[in-house]
Amino acid sequence: MIIIKGLSKAFDTPDGKVYALRNINLQIEAGDIFGIIGFSGAGKSTLIRCLNRLEEPDSGSIQIGDQEITSLDKRQLREARKHIGMIFQHFNLFDSKTVFENIAFPLEVAGLPKYRIKERVEQLLELVELTEKTNAHPSQLSGGQKQRVGIARALANNPAVLLSDEATSALDPKTTYAILELLQNINRKLNLTIVLITHEMDVLRRICNQVAVIEDGEITEMGSVKDLFANPQTDTTRLFVQSDYELQHNNYVI
Amino acid sequence: MALANDVLPLLGVALLETLYMVLLSTLAALALGFPLGIALVVTSKDHISESPNSNNVLGTVVNIFRSFPFIILIVILLPLSRFLIGTTLGSTAAVVPLAIGSAPFLARIIENSLKEVEKGKIEAALAIGAKSATIIWKVLIPEALPSLVRGITLAIITIIGFTATAGAIGAGGLGSLAIRFGYMRYRDDILIVTVVVLVVLVEGIQWTGNFIARRLENKQHK
């Protein structure tokens, strides 16, 4: 379970302080697929990056499992990060390493012996269906394949939580669905908690159970995805739901 | 044009002296400049060991050394050469100012190469729980390797140029040969042959550097 309490974060800009997050309170159940949706600049990326402290919050607390992430020192944080996987919009794979070496990297960092690394990487390659690309370099892969490597790398150390920072935003719709399906399978198979941020309603509808809408650094609406679609409370949410409806509607006409 | 029979032995010795100086000062400059370049990157804003104060101090030191004309730097470092090597004359003594003069330049080259590594890759390594040392050795350097090789090649060629300047005040090598024989004794044959050898040397090093960098790039992008 993830509990976020009173989380705030501001950035210093030439024009003064800009609040990216204001007093965020959230509770995410273990094993859930939790979506955070918002327009660009709403603060959703800052929020997810606070969860593993790639971004340092100014105030508030974050608890993941039985660990208070916000009170860890540097060394404890490194340990905790080994159990919080993260995937990125632009994959962020290491170009100088092969697919195998990319997935092996977190295992090396965790200090596993070579034979255990090999075993685990092979397992992960099978999970993301990329066994035949073991020795390829990232430049030889398609976007979808790159994200599969990213997912395998993020899952290497058996994390309890996977953070997805717009992981499908750089992919075409067909590939997006395939990646979402993979995430859903992993969620079921490994009972992994997934927190994902997105600006696409489609992503929410396909795999999320719970959702929070973030606007201007604040959570404006929270609840089950079903309720959000059926009964949007705020203008932003209505806008999201409406544009999603129009998209669907157009698809039917075509 | 037939070469006078003193040319080849003179040239041979001078070439060896130059190669000796370049090799030794490149290694010494790398030993000084590589850590300095890494430090300049990792202490920069939003990097893995951000520290504005350290970064400013290091940057200022590098800039001060880089603003000396090389021939002045040699003169200033004469006492250091005497202290470390025991003499201020000869190729070994020249390695001291050569290394110190080119280390800051090399540091900037290393800094620029390492800065090219996308932030996202560093964040991915941080999110995995990697230590700074691991990120430097397993992410920054491997990801920047082709660019590092190109940069170090450039530095070696600059060091060859520096050795000629050092040759003007007693370091030996091809530069010294060209000045003492070619210029002061009006031996045009020696001047021309020396220049030809230098051109071939620089071309050879550039070609080798490009070759290695391309091989590394192909390995990444095959």
Side-chain angles (χ1 to χ4, degrees):
Chain A
M1 187 151 84
I2 301 173
I3 301 169
I4 302 171
K5 278 184 195 156
L7 193 73
S8 292
K9 167 84 186 173
F11 292 102
D12 287 316
T13 70
D15 312 321
K17 269 195 171 190
V18 173
Y19 279 87
L21 298 174
R22 298 169 205 258
N23 191 27
I24 301 279
N25 295 290
L26 264 185
Q27 193 161 322
I28 299 168
E29 298 301 324
D32 199 2
I33 303 185
F34 194 100
I36 298 166
I37 192 164
F39 291 113
S40 32
K44 56 191 191 301
S45 192
T46 309
L47 176 56
I48 200 166
R49 290 160 53 85
C50 277
L51 291 180
N52 61 358
R53 280 172 56 194
L54 280 180
E55 209 75 75
E56 284 293 345
D58 294 337
S59 59
S61 72
I62 296 164
Q63 194 181 329
I64 298 182
D66 47 15
Q67 221 170 12
E68 177 128 348
I69 297 294
T70 33
S71 62
L72 301 179
D73 64 27
K74 269 191 162 180
R75 199 170 147 183
Q76 293 167 323
L77 178 62
R78 278 203 303 271
E79 275 314 305
R81 278 174 174 171
K82 288 173 191 165
H83 308 290
I84 306 171
M86 189 167 197
I87 52 176
F88 305 88
Q89 180 174 5
H90 299 295
F91 325 122
N92 297 348
L93 301 180
F94 308 121
D95 295 315
S96 61
K97 301 187 197 309
T98 61
V99 167
F100 183 97
E101 291 164 340
N102 265 282
I103 303 171
F105 183 67
L107 300 165
E108 283 169 24
V109 167
L112 255 68
K114 276 225 159 98
Y115 73 96
R116 293 266 295 121
I117 292 181
K118 189 167 184 292
E119 215 175 79
R120 179 73 183 135
V121 173
E122 279 164 6
Q123 231 173 29
L124 288 157
L125 280 167
E126 215 165 289
L127 178 72
V128 298
E129 294 166 20
L130 271 184
T131 307
E132 77 282 9
K133 297 285 181 191
T134 307
N135 295 312
H137 276 269
S139 59
Q140 297 163 276
L141 304 179
S142 69
Q145 289 171 330
K146 282 180 190 169
Q147 197 56 286
R148 283 171 190 272
V149 177
I151 292 170
R153 183 177 66 177
L155 296 178
N157 284 316
N158 290 309
V161 178
L162 178 71
L163 308 176
S164 163
D165 188 355
E166 300 265 8
T168 57
S169 298
L171 302 173
D172 63 63
K174 207 175 134 205
T175 316
T176 296
Y177 298 151
I179 292 291
L180 293 177
E181 206 177 279
L182 175 64
L183 289 176
Q184 200 162 35
N185 283 339
I186 292 165
N187 163 259
R188 285 185 193 138
K189 243 190 251 178
L190 310 175
N191 194 33
L192 180 77
T193 312
I194 301 179
V195 183
L196 62 85
I197 63 165
T198 183
H199 58 263
E200 297 165 305
M201 286 301 266
D202 209 30
V203 171
L204 289 187
R205 188 177 42 230
R206 278 181 190 264
I207 68 166
C208 295
N209 304 316
Q210 297 288 313
V211 61
V213 182
I214 186 167
E215 191 181 356
D216 235 349
E218 282 174 295
I219 290 182
T220 53
E221 204 166 334
M222 204 167 12
S224 76
V225 173
K226 229 183 266 167
D227 288 344
L228 186 86
F229 276 92
N231 193 12
Q233 300 294 313
T234 63
D235 287 344
T236 306
T237 316
R238 263 176 232 122
L239 208 61
F240 268 120
V241 173
Q242 193 191 348
S243 63
D244 182 65
Y245 173 79
E246 280 166 9
L247 217 86
Q248 289 250 316
H249 196 69
N250 277 336
N251 280 348
Y252 292 143
V253 173
I254 293 162
Chain B
M1 182 180 76
L3 288 175
N5 51 17
D6 62 341
V7 174
L8 281 181
L10 281 171
L11 198 68
V13 171
L15 178 61
L16 283 180
E17 281 173 347
T18 294
L19 290 176
Y20 171 78
M21 281 190 284
V22 170
L23 182 72
L24 231 63
S25 29
T26 302
L27 291 178
L30 274 173
L32 292 170
F34 212 100
L36 194 54
I38 290 173
L40 280 168
V41 173
V42 297
T43 57
S44 64
K45 196 173 178 320
D46 293 330
H47 219 287
I48 50 176
S49 303
E50 178 177 348
S51 163
N53 290 335
S54 317
N55 194 264
N56 278 336
V57 171
L58 291 175
T60 309
V61 170
V62 165
N63 288 343
I64 288 173
F65 272 91
R66 288 204 58 200
S67 46
F68 280 100
F70 185 59
I71 198 157
I72 308 293
L73 193 70
I74 299 175
V75 177
I76 292 172
L77 291 174
L78 281 177
L80 186 64
S81 294
R82 188 176 289 120
F83 175 71
L84 288 174
I85 314 290
T87 175
T88 62
L89 292 175
S91 304
T92 311
V95 169
V96 175
L98 281 171
I100 293 176
S102 40
F105 172 63
L106 199 59
R108 286 289 185 210
I109 286 177
I110 307 274
E111 179 194 13
N112 283 336
S113 289
L114 295 181
K115 264 201 172 145
E116 285 167 27
V117 176
E118 291 106 313
K119 244 193 190 148
K121 291 178 181 171
I122 298 165
E123 285 197 334
L126 282 172
I128 281 162
K131 282 191 276 201
S132 294
T134 312
I135 296 178
I136 291 168
W137 289 107
K138 298 288 177 81
V139 178
L140 281 182
I141 294 176
E143 291 295 310
L145 205 53
S147 159
L148 284 171
V149 169
R150 285 182 203 281
I152 291 168
T153 306
L154 174 69
I156 294 174
I157 289 167
T158 308
I159 290 174
I160 293 177
F162 282 171
T163 63
T165 312
I169 47 175
L174 289 166
S176 163
L177 184 70
I179 290 166
R180 285 187 297 126
F181 286 79
Y183 175 63
M184 293 177 178
R185 298 184 195 173
Y186 305 107
R187 287 286 300 272
D188 289 347
D189 57 338
I190 290 189
L191 199 58
I192 292 166
V193 173
T194 312
V195 169
V196 170
V197 170
L198 278 170
V199 169
V200 171
L201 184 63
V202 168
E203 280 296 325
I205 288 169
Q206 186 67 61
W207 186 88
T208 310
N210 287 347
F211 178 77
I212 297 172
R214 260 203 310 273
R215 277 290 288 270
L216 289 167
E217 278 159 358
N218 285 342
K219 214 182 107 193
Q220 287 183 18
H221 300 291
K222 72 177 178 193

mmCIF file of all heavy atoms in Angstrom, chain B residues 75-117:
data_model
loop_
_atom_site.group_PDB
_atom_site.id
_atom_site.type_symbol
_atom_site.label_atom_id
_atom_site.label_comp_id
_atom_site.label_asym_id
_atom_site.label_seq_id
_atom_site.Cartn_x
_atom_site.Cartn_y
_atom_site.Cartn_z
ATOM 1 N N VAL B 75 57.785 27.948 -18.752
ATOM 2 C CA VAL B 75 58.738 28.732 -17.962
ATOM 3 C C VAL B 75 58.350 28.736 -16.486
ATOM 4 O O VAL B 75 59.181 28.531 -15.605
ATOM 5 C CB VAL B 75 58.812 30.180 -18.510
ATOM 6 C CG1 VAL B 75 59.745 31.018 -17.637
ATOM 7 C CG2 VAL B 75 59.299 30.173 -19.946
ATOM 8 N N ILE B 76 57.041 28.928 -16.243
ATOM 9 C CA ILE B 76 56.577 28.960 -14.856
ATOM 10 C C ILE B 76 56.812 27.618 -14.164
ATOM 11 O O ILE B 76 57.130 27.553 -12.986
ATOM 12 C CB ILE B 76 55.071 29.317 -14.815
ATOM 13 C CG1 ILE B 76 54.895 30.767 -15.259
ATOM 14 C CG2 ILE B 76 54.496 29.113 -13.421
ATOM 15 C CD1 ILE B 76 53.461 31.172 -15.436
ATOM 16 N N LEU B 77 56.679 26.530 -14.933
ATOM 17 C CA LEU B 77 56.770 25.201 -14.320
ATOM 18 C C LEU B 77 58.199 24.654 -14.303
ATOM 19 O O LEU B 77 58.419 23.519 -13.876
ATOM 20 C CB LEU B 77 55.834 24.228 -15.045
ATOM 21 C CG LEU B 77 54.340 24.500 -14.838
ATOM 22 C CD1 LEU B 77 53.505 23.585 -15.721
ATOM 23 C CD2 LEU B 77 53.953 24.327 -13.373
ATOM 24 N N LEU B 78 59.168 25.463 -14.746
ATOM 25 C CA LEU B 78 60.558 24.986 -14.739
ATOM 26 C C LEU B 78 60.996 24.478 -13.356
ATOM 27 O O LEU B 78 61.560 23.387 -13.257
ATOM 28 C CB LEU B 78 61.501 26.108 -15.206
ATOM 29 C CG LEU B 78 61.572 26.345 -16.729
ATOM 30 C CD1 LEU B 78 62.485 27.524 -17.053
ATOM 31 C CD2 LEU B 78 62.017 25.090 -17.453
ATOM 32 N N PRO B 79 60.706 25.236 -12.288
ATOM 33 C CA PRO B 79 61.107 24.737 -10.964
ATOM 34 C C PRO B 79 60.470 23.392 -10.620
ATOM 35 O O PRO B 79 61.109 22.534 -10.026
ATOM 36 C CB PRO B 79 60.609 25.822 -10.001
ATOM 37 C CG PRO B 79 60.426 27.026 -10.842
ATOM 38 C CD PRO B 79 60.082 26.566 -12.211
ATOM 39 N N LEU B 80 59.218 23.215 -11.032
ATOM 40 C CA LEU B 80 58.534 21.955 -10.747
ATOM 41 C C LEU B 80 59.217 20.800 -11.486
ATOM 42 O O LEU B 80 59.409 19.711 -10.941
ATOM 43 C CB LEU B 80 57.054 22.057 -11.138
ATOM 44 C CG LEU B 80 56.192 20.854 -10.762
ATOM 45 C CD1 LEU B 80 56.123 20.675 -9.252
ATOM 46 C CD2 LEU B 80 54.785 20.964 -11.331
ATOM 47 N N SER B 81 59.597 21.050 -12.733
ATOM 48 C CA SER B 81 60.311 20.026 -13.504
ATOM 49 C C SER B 81 61.614 19.675 -12.811
ATOM 50 O O SER B 81 61.971 18.503 -12.690
ATOM 51 C CB SER B 81 60.626 20.528 -14.924
ATOM 52 O OG SER B 81 59.455 20.705 -15.649
ATOM 53 N N ARG B 82 62.318 20.707 -12.343
ATOM 54 C CA ARG B 82 63.600 20.454 -11.685
ATOM 55 C C ARG B 82 63.369 19.636 -10.420
ATOM 56 O O ARG B 82 64.100 18.690 -10.138
ATOM 57 C CB ARG B 82 64.288 21.779 -11.353
ATOM 58 C CG ARG B 82 65.726 21.571 -10.838
ATOM 59 C CD ARG B 82 66.474 22.883 -10.602
ATOM 60 N NE ARG B 82 66.836 23.566 -11.817
ATOM 61 C CZ ARG B 82 66.422 24.810 -12.119
ATOM 62 N NH1 ARG B 82 65.656 25.473 -11.283
ATOM 63 N NH2 ARG B 82 66.792 25.379 -13.243
ATOM 64 N N PHE B 83 62.300 19.974 -9.706
ATOM 65 C CA PHE B 83 61.999 19.274 -8.463
ATOM 66 C C PHE B 83 61.626 17.803 -8.734
ATOM 67 O O PHE B 83 62.093 16.899 -8.054
ATOM 68 C CB PHE B 83 60.847 19.982 -7.736
ATOM 69 C CG PHE B 83 60.371 19.274 -6.510
ATOM 70 C CD1 PHE B 83 61.157 19.244 -5.359
ATOM 71 C CD2 PHE B 83 59.143 18.621 -6.495
ATOM 72 C CE1 PHE B 83 60.729 18.589 -4.227
ATOM 73 C CE2 PHE B 83 58.713 17.949 -5.363
ATOM 74 C CZ PHE B 83 59.507 17.942 -4.225
ATOM 75 N N LEU B 84 60.789 17.565 -9.742
ATOM 76 C CA LEU B 84 60.280 16.215 -9.981
ATOM 77 C C LEU B 84 61.270 15.352 -10.748
ATOM 78 O O LEU B 84 61.443 14.172 -10.454
ATOM 79 C CB LEU B 84 58.955 16.276 -10.758
ATOM 80 C CG LEU B 84 57.736 16.782 -9.983
ATOM 81 C CD1 LEU B 84 56.546 16.921 -10.923
ATOM 82 C CD2 LEU B 84 57.386 15.825 -8.849
ATOM 83 N N ILE B 85 61.910 15.933 -11.771
ATOM 84 C CA ILE B 85 62.748 15.135 -12.676
ATOM 85 C C ILE B 85 64.231 15.341 -12.385
ATOM 86 O O ILE B 85 65.061 14.515 -12.720
ATOM 87 C CB ILE B 85 62.450 15.511 -14.156
ATOM 88 C CG1 ILE B 85 60.942 15.579 -14.400
ATOM 89 C CG2 ILE B 85 63.102 14.557 -15.139
ATOM 90 C CD1 ILE B 85 60.214 14.272 -14.367
ATOM 91 N N GLY B 86 64.581 16.473 -11.790
ATOM 92 C CA GLY B 86 65.977 16.735 -11.477
ATOM 93 C C GLY B 86 66.655 17.620 -12.513
ATOM 94 O O GLY B 86 67.781 18.043 -12.331
ATOM 95 N N THR B 87 65.976 17.909 -13.612
ATOM 96 C CA THR B 87 66.542 18.768 -14.641
ATOM 97 C C THR B 87 65.423 19.539 -15.330
ATOM 98 O O THR B 87 64.247 19.183 -15.197
ATOM 99 C CB THR B 87 67.318 17.961 -15.696
ATOM 100 O OG1 THR B 87 67.736 18.841 -16.732
ATOM 101 C CG2 THR B 87 66.451 16.863 -16.290
ATOM 102 N N THR B 88 65.758 20.588 -16.058
ATOM 103 C CA THR B 88 64.752 21.313 -16.831
ATOM 104 C C THR B 88 64.940 21.070 -18.321
ATOM 105 O O THR B 88 64.211 21.599 -19.138
ATOM 106 C CB THR B 88 64.851 22.824 -16.564
ATOM 107 O OG1 THR B 88 66.139 23.266 -16.986
ATOM 108 C CG2 THR B 88 64.639 23.130 -15.103
ATOM 109 N N LEU B 89 65.949 20.271 -18.660
ATOM 110 C CA LEU B 89 66.235 20.020 -20.075
ATOM 111 C C LEU B 89 65.877 18.590 -20.447
ATOM 112 O O LEU B 89 65.885 17.697 -19.598
ATOM 113 C CB LEU B 89 67.723 20.269 -20.359
ATOM 114 C CG LEU B 89 68.178 21.731 -20.265
ATOM 115 C CD1 LEU B 89 69.690 21.835 -20.435
ATOM 116 C CD2 LEU B 89 67.461 22.576 -21.311
ATOM 117 N N GLY B 90 65.561 18.389 -21.713
ATOM 118 C CA GLY B 90 65.304 17.050 -22.212
ATOM 119 C C GLY B 90 63.828 16.697 -22.225
ATOM 120 O O GLY B 90 62.986 17.414 -21.690
ATOM 121 N N SER B 91 63.528 15.559 -22.847
ATOM 122 C CA SER B 91 62.140 15.163 -23.098
ATOM 123 C C SER B 91 61.389 14.844 -21.810
ATOM 124 O O SER B 91 60.222 15.195 -21.657
ATOM 125 C CB SER B 91 62.104 13.949 -24.013
ATOM 126 O OG SER B 91 62.808 14.233 -25.190
ATOM 127 N N THR B 92 62.063 14.176 -20.872
ATOM 128 C CA THR B 92 61.367 13.786 -19.648
ATOM 129 C C THR B 92 60.956 15.020 -18.848
ATOM 130 O O THR B 92 59.845 15.094 -18.328
ATOM 131 C CB THR B 92 62.241 12.865 -18.778
ATOM 132 O OG1 THR B 92 62.755 11.828 -19.616
ATOM 133 C CG2 THR B 92 61.453 12.263 -17.645
ATOM 134 N N ALA B 93 61.851 16.001 -18.774
ATOM 135 C CA ALA B 93 61.536 17.232 -18.054
ATOM 136 C C ALA B 93 60.357 17.947 -18.701
ATOM 137 O O ALA B 93 59.533 18.572 -18.022
ATOM 138 C CB ALA B 93 62.747 18.158 -18.014
ATOM 139 N N ALA B 94 60.225 17.831 -20.015
ATOM 140 C CA ALA B 94 59.142 18.512 -20.730
ATOM 141 C C ALA B 94 57.780 17.895 -20.432
ATOM 142 O O ALA B 94 56.746 18.543 -20.580
ATOM 143 C CB ALA B 94 59.401 18.488 -22.230
ATOM 144 N N VAL B 95 57.801 16.625 -20.013
ATOM 145 C CA VAL B 95 56.521 15.949 -19.749
ATOM 146 C C VAL B 95 55.738 16.676 -18.649
ATOM 147 O O VAL B 95 54.508 16.746 -18.706
ATOM 148 C CB VAL B 95 56.763 14.466 -19.372
ATOM 149 C CG1 VAL B 95 55.491 13.833 -18.838
ATOM 150 C CG2 VAL B 95 57.250 13.704 -20.588
ATOM 151 N N VAL B 96 56.435 17.261 -17.696
ATOM 152 C CA VAL B 96 55.744 17.932 -16.582
ATOM 153 C C VAL B 96 54.865 19.088 -17.089
ATOM 154 O O VAL B 96 53.643 19.073 -16.882
ATOM 155 C CB VAL B 96 56.748 18.405 -15.507
ATOM 156 C CG1 VAL B 96 56.037 19.199 -14.432
ATOM 157 C CG2 VAL B 96 57.478 17.216 -14.913
ATOM 158 N N PRO B 97 55.438 20.088 -17.782
ATOM 159 C CA PRO B 97 54.552 21.158 -18.284
ATOM 160 C C PRO B 97 53.582 20.668 -19.348
ATOM 161 O O PRO B 97 52.444 21.158 -19.412
ATOM 162 C CB PRO B 97 55.514 22.191 -18.860
ATOM 163 C CG PRO B 97 56.786 21.478 -19.068
ATOM 164 C CD PRO B 97 56.863 20.398 -18.039
ATOM 165 N N LEU B 98 53.990 19.683 -20.140
ATOM 166 C CA LEU B 98 53.071 19.162 -21.171
ATOM 167 C C LEU B 98 51.826 18.561 -20.524
ATOM 168 O O LEU B 98 50.693 18.829 -20.944
ATOM 169 C CB LEU B 98 53.766 18.095 -22.022
ATOM 170 C CG LEU B 98 54.709 18.595 -23.120
ATOM 171 C CD1 LEU B 98 55.484 17.431 -23.716
ATOM 172 C CD2 LEU B 98 53.912 19.310 -24.211
ATOM 173 N N ALA B 99 52.042 17.762 -19.488
ATOM 174 C CA ALA B 99 50.909 17.105 -18.825
ATOM 175 C C ALA B 99 50.032 18.144 -18.132
ATOM 176 O O ALA B 99 48.797 18.122 -18.261
ATOM 177 C CB ALA B 99 51.415 16.075 -17.821
ATOM 178 N N ILE B 100 50.667 19.068 -17.427
ATOM 179 C CA ILE B 100 49.886 20.052 -16.673
ATOM 180 C C ILE B 100 49.191 21.038 -17.615
ATOM 181 O O ILE B 100 48.070 21.476 -17.365
ATOM 182 C CB ILE B 100 50.787 20.775 -15.648
ATOM 183 C CG1 ILE B 100 51.218 19.756 -14.580
ATOM 184 C CG2 ILE B 100 50.087 21.967 -15.015
ATOM 185 C CD1 ILE B 100 52.190 20.295 -13.569
ATOM 186 N N GLY B 101 49.867 21.344 -18.726
ATOM 187 C CA GLY B 101 49.260 22.267 -19.688
ATOM 188 C C GLY B 101 48.089 21.646 -20.433
ATOM 189 O O GLY B 101 47.119 22.334 -20.773
ATOM 190 N N SER B 102 48.145 20.333 -20.694
ATOM 191 C CA SER B 102 47.061 19.741 -21.489
ATOM 192 C C SER B 102 45.975 19.102 -20.631
ATOM 193 O O SER B 102 44.878 18.832 -21.132
ATOM 194 C CB SER B 102 47.619 18.738 -22.497
ATOM 195 O OG SER B 102 48.639 17.978 -21.926
ATOM 196 N N ALA B 103 46.255 18.876 -19.347
ATOM 197 C CA ALA B 103 45.236 18.241 -18.492
ATOM 198 C C ALA B 103 43.932 19.050 -18.410
ATOM 199 O O ALA B 103 42.846 18.472 -18.531
ATOM 200 C CB ALA B 103 45.799 17.978 -17.100
ATOM 201 N N PRO B 104 43.992 20.376 -18.221
ATOM 202 C CA PRO B 104 42.741 21.142 -18.145
ATOM 203 C C PRO B 104 41.953 21.106 -19.456
ATOM 204 O O PRO B 104 40.723 21.018 -19.457
ATOM 205 C CB PRO B 104 43.201 22.573 -17.853
ATOM 206 C CG PRO B 104 44.576 22.445 -17.334
ATOM 207 C CD PRO B 104 45.157 21.230 -17.971
ATOM 208 N N PHE B 105 42.703 21.137 -20.572
ATOM 209 C CA PHE B 105 42.075 21.028 -21.888
ATOM 210 C C PHE B 105 41.373 19.682 -22.013
ATOM 211 O O PHE B 105 40.205 19.588 -22.408
ATOM 212 C CB PHE B 105 43.178 21.187 -22.944
ATOM 213 C CG PHE B 105 42.753 20.916 -24.350
ATOM 214 C CD1 PHE B 105 41.799 21.703 -24.966
ATOM 215 C CD2 PHE B 105 43.338 19.889 -25.081
ATOM 216 C CE1 PHE B 105 41.425 21.453 -26.269
ATOM 217 C CE2 PHE B 105 42.960 19.640 -26.381
ATOM 218 C CZ PHE B 105 41.998 20.427 -26.977
ATOM 219 N N LEU B 106 42.094 18.627 -21.621
ATOM 220 C CA LEU B 106 41.529 17.287 -21.661
ATOM 221 C C LEU B 106 40.303 17.188 -20.745
ATOM 222 O O LEU B 106 39.299 16.572 -21.097
ATOM 223 C CB LEU B 106 42.606 16.285 -21.220
ATOM 224 C CG LEU B 106 42.391 14.836 -21.604
ATOM 225 C CD1 LEU B 106 42.290 14.674 -23.104
ATOM 226 C CD2 LEU B 106 43.544 13.990 -21.083
ATOM 227 N N ALA B 107 40.402 17.816 -19.574
ATOM 228 C CA ALA B 107 39.284 17.784 -18.631
ATOM 229 C C ALA B 107 38.018 18.368 -19.273
ATOM 230 O O ALA B 107 36.925 17.807 -19.140
ATOM 231 C CB ALA B 107 39.640 18.558 -17.365
ATOM 232 N N ARG B 108 38.162 19.479 -19.987
ATOM 233 C CA ARG B 108 37.006 20.087 -20.663
ATOM 234 C C ARG B 108 36.451 19.170 -21.751
ATOM 235 O O ARG B 108 35.230 19.077 -21.932
ATOM 236 C CB ARG B 108 37.398 21.423 -21.289
ATOM 237 C CG ARG B 108 37.578 22.556 -20.289
ATOM 238 C CD ARG B 108 36.250 23.000 -19.693
ATOM 239 N NE ARG B 108 36.422 24.155 -18.830
ATOM 240 C CZ ARG B 108 35.676 24.432 -17.787
ATOM 241 N NH1 ARG B 108 34.677 23.637 -17.447
ATOM 242 N NH2 ARG B 108 35.889 25.505 -17.065
ATOM 243 N N ILE B 109 37.356 18.497 -22.462
ATOM 244 C CA ILE B 109 36.910 17.579 -23.518
ATOM 245 C C ILE B 109 36.123 16.413 -22.906
ATOM 246 O O ILE B 109 35.051 16.038 -23.390
ATOM 247 C CB ILE B 109 38.127 17.071 -24.310
ATOM 248 C CG1 ILE B 109 38.624 18.197 -25.221
ATOM 249 C CG2 ILE B 109 37.789 15.844 -25.114
ATOM 250 C CD1 ILE B 109 39.851 17.839 -25.994
ATOM 251 N N ILE B 110 36.670 15.847 -21.833
ATOM 252 C CA ILE B 110 35.987 14.745 -21.144
ATOM 253 C C ILE B 110 34.636 15.231 -20.624
ATOM 254 O O ILE B 110 33.604 14.550 -20.750
ATOM 255 C CB ILE B 110 36.840 14.251 -19.951
ATOM 256 C CG1 ILE B 110 38.258 13.899 -20.384
ATOM 257 C CG2 ILE B 110 36.149 13.139 -19.178
ATOM 258 C CD1 ILE B 110 38.485 12.548 -20.908
ATOM 259 N N GLU B 111 34.640 16.432 -20.038
ATOM 260 C CA GLU B 111 33.404 17.009 -19.506
ATOM 261 C C GLU B 111 32.341 17.098 -20.598
ATOM 262 O O GLU B 111 31.203 16.666 -20.415
ATOM 263 C CB GLU B 111 33.694 18.403 -18.933
ATOM 264 C CG GLU B 111 32.462 19.105 -18.367
ATOM 265 C CD GLU B 111 32.694 20.596 -18.113
ATOM 266 O OE1 GLU B 111 33.714 21.144 -18.598
ATOM 267 O OE2 GLU B 111 31.849 21.217 -17.446
ATOM 268 N N ASN B 112 32.728 17.637 -21.753
ATOM 269 C CA ASN B 112 31.761 17.789 -22.845
ATOM 270 C C ASN B 112 31.215 16.447 -23.312
ATOM 271 O O ASN B 112 30.025 16.311 -23.573
ATOM 272 C CB ASN B 112 32.388 18.536 -24.023
ATOM 273 C CG ASN B 112 32.480 20.022 -23.751
ATOM 274 O OD1 ASN B 112 31.728 20.557 -22.938
ATOM 275 N ND2 ASN B 112 33.415 20.684 -24.397
ATOM 276 N N SER B 113 32.093 15.455 -23.418
ATOM 277 C CA SER B 113 31.644 14.126 -23.866
ATOM 278 C C SER B 113 30.652 13.534 -22.870
ATOM 279 O O SER B 113 29.597 13.028 -23.262
ATOM 280 C CB SER B 113 32.830 13.170 -23.985
ATOM 281 O OG SER B 113 33.619 13.519 -25.070
ATOM 282 N N LEU B 114 30.992 13.606 -21.594
ATOM 283 C CA LEU B 114 30.128 12.984 -20.589
ATOM 284 C C LEU B 114 28.802 13.730 -20.449
ATOM 285 O O LEU B 114 27.784 13.149 -20.101
ATOM 286 C CB LEU B 114 30.848 12.918 -19.233
ATOM 287 C CG LEU B 114 32.088 12.026 -19.189
ATOM 288 C CD1 LEU B 114 32.692 12.026 -17.795
ATOM 289 C CD2 LEU B 114 31.766 10.592 -19.595
ATOM 290 N N LYS B 115 28.836 15.032 -20.737
ATOM 291 C CA LYS B 115 27.610 15.826 -20.654
ATOM 292 C C LYS B 115 26.593 15.426 -21.715
ATOM 293 O O LYS B 115 25.401 15.682 -21.574
ATOM 294 C CB LYS B 115 27.930 17.304 -20.801
ATOM 295 C CG LYS B 115 28.071 17.992 -19.465
ATOM 296 C CD LYS B 115 27.886 19.482 -19.545
ATOM 297 C CE LYS B 115 27.858 20.036 -18.130
ATOM 298 N NZ LYS B 115 28.479 21.360 -18.057
ATOM 299 N N GLU B 116 27.089 14.809 -22.798
ATOM 300 C CA GLU B 116 26.184 14.408 -23.880
ATOM 301 C C GLU B 116 25.287 13.237 -23.491
ATOM 302 O O GLU B 116 24.304 12.968 -24.159
ATOM 303 C CB GLU B 116 26.992 14.000 -25.118
ATOM 304 C CG GLU B 116 27.585 15.169 -25.871
ATOM 305 C CD GLU B 116 28.625 14.694 -26.868
ATOM 306 O OE1 GLU B 116 28.528 13.555 -27.331
ATOM 307 O OE2 GLU B 116 29.545 15.482 -27.148
ATOM 308 N N VAL B 117 25.643 12.513 -22.447
ATOM 309 C CA VAL B 117 24.829 11.357 -22.042
ATOM 310 C C VAL B 117 23.471 11.865 -21.546
ATOM 311 O O VAL B 117 23.407 12.710 -20.648
ATOM 312 C CB VAL B 117 25.539 10.546 -20.932
ATOM 313 C CG1 VAL B 117 24.654 9.411 -20.455
ATOM 314 C CG2 VAL B 117 26.865 10.019 -21.445
#
